[in-house]
Amino acid sequence: NFRDLGGYFTKTDRQMRWGMIFRSGDLSSATLYDQEKIRRLNIKTIIDFRTDNTSKRYPILVHPNIKKISLPIIQMDSKALDDMMLDKNLTQSDAVRKIQDSYISIVENSKEELSEMFEILLDFNNYPILISGSLGKDRVGLACFFILSAIGISQNVIVNDYMLSQEYINVSNVAKEAQSKPEYFQEAVTAIFSVRPSYINYTIDYINQKYGSVDNYIEKELNLSTQNKNLLRKYLLYNQ
């Protein structure tokens, strides 16, 4: 689930620069070939949303010169996903609610980490930047949602980018152990490891209802001022 976040157009028809921000899932199984490809992208900084326990158990395999910054977000970490799967009575609707609740928990309880992410993005010396997690669909998906929102990409385009992870994650491969379980449990596990519009749309609705808009949330809760938002756009958007 590794891809360039560039190429999207803002509401005012400015295009996001290619090769500035990349997003990915777990890099702990990166082969030497993978590591060389990452090195050739000239990535200077990796933001890792995995918890300390997970990152120690599955260390990132990249060139040692690449700076790695840990911003641990507990919700939706690999352990949290594993814990969900321990409930043998888990149904698909239960799983969907758990994912949606976890997203809201990130919005409410990981403001400091998301704010720090923007601070990293505001230092041009850190680019190109790779944003990484376990599967690269949940915490990374929300982080990219806020980044793209901050620079003026339209919401439907951002949701489409969020949904792209569905094409790059092989759910049956990730959740092999569930294949011998009852059908209702397999459906629940599929919901856990899938990417669904209901997850991100539920989060957007929550933010709009509580904070007025996604822009308000980014500005007031994640401390990204108008001045810094303009600086971010200067870094990430091609000149008109």
Side-chain angles (χ1 to χ4, degrees):
N1 196 14
F2 190 115
R3 59 188 190 270
D4 193 330
L5 205 59
Y8 295 120
F9 284 88
T10 68
K11 300 167 191 172
T12 56
D13 253 4
R14 295 183 65 188
Q15 189 179 29
M16 184 171 178
R17 294 177 185 271
W18 293 100
M20 292 296 284
I21 297 181
F22 299 87
R23 55 177 293 177
S24 81
D26 182 16
L27 297 173
S28 66
S29 59
T31 64
L32 289 175
Y33 176 72
D34 295 331
Q35 294 176 49
E36 177 60 17
K37 286 182 71 175
I38 292 172
R39 188 192 67 79
R40 290 186 179 184
L41 293 172
N42 297 315
I43 290 169
K44 291 183 180 178
T45 308
I46 294 176
I47 298 174
D48 186 5
F49 286 132
R50 299 175 305 158
T51 61
D52 292 340
N53 286 338
T54 300
S55 58
K56 287 177 182 176
R57 186 176 179 185
Y58 303 104
I60 288 176
L61 299 178
V62 292
H63 194 279
N65 287 346
I66 299 177
K67 178 170 58 177
K68 294 181 281 292
I69 301 175
S70 177
L71 296 179
I73 295 177
I74 297 172
Q75 303 89 346
M76 303 309 296
D77 191 61
S78 58
K79 184 181 184 304
L81 297 177
D82 290 341
D83 288 345
M84 288 185 197
M85 293 177 60
L86 291 177
D87 181 1
K88 301 306 178 184
N89 296 315
L90 189 69
T91 65
Q92 185 177 24
S93 59
D94 292 334
V96 169
R97 281 195 298 271
K98 284 179 180 288
I99 300 296
Q100 291 174 333
D101 289 344
S102 294
Y103 276 33
I104 301 307
S105 183
I106 291 173
V107 167
E108 293 294 356
N109 300 316
S110 298
K111 295 174 184 177
E112 182 177 344
E113 288 77 12
L114 293 171
S115 179
E116 287 185 40
M117 174 193 73
F118 276 116
E119 288 181 17
I120 295 166
L121 295 176
L122 288 169
D123 184 346
F124 193 74
N125 293 319
N126 289 325
Y127 288 92
I129 294 172
L130 170 60
I131 301 173
S132 179
S134 293
L135 289 174
K137 72 181 185 74
D138 300 308
R139 293 167 295 184
V140 172
L142 283 177
C144 291
F145 171 80
F146 292 130
I147 294 169
L148 294 175
S149 296
I151 63 172
I153 308 293
S154 64
Q155 185 173 298
N156 65 311
V157 173
I158 302 173
V159 171
N160 287 338
D161 174 78
Y162 168 82
M163 290 301 300
L164 278 178
S165 290
Q166 188 71 7
E167 299 180 18
Y168 297 109
I169 297 175
N170 187 328
V171 176
S172 59
N173 188 49
V174 173
K176 289 179 181 177
E177 58 195 69
Q179 295 175 6
S180 61
K181 306 297 182 184
E183 185 175 348
Y184 73 87
F185 186 74
Q186 292 184 42
E187 291 174 348
V189 172
T190 298
I192 290 173
F193 290 104
S194 294
V195 180
R196 301 189 176 193
S198 60
Y199 297 160
I200 191 70
N201 288 331
Y202 182 85
T203 309
I204 294 169
D205 289 343
Y206 175 88
I207 293 173
N208 287 337
Q209 288 177 22
K210 181 166 183 179
Y211 297 100
S213 69
V214 173
D215 281 342
N216 283 345
Y217 173 80
I218 292 172
E219 182 174 336
K220 297 176 182 178
E221 304 300 318
L222 304 186
N223 304 311
L224 189 70
S225 65
T226 300
Q227 181 180 357
N228 283 336
K229 195 181 294 182
N230 289 334
L231 182 60
L232 194 62
R233 292 178 180 184
K234 178 182 176 182
Y235 292 165
L236 296 180
L237 299 176
Y238 290 113
N239 294 327
Q240 288 179 309

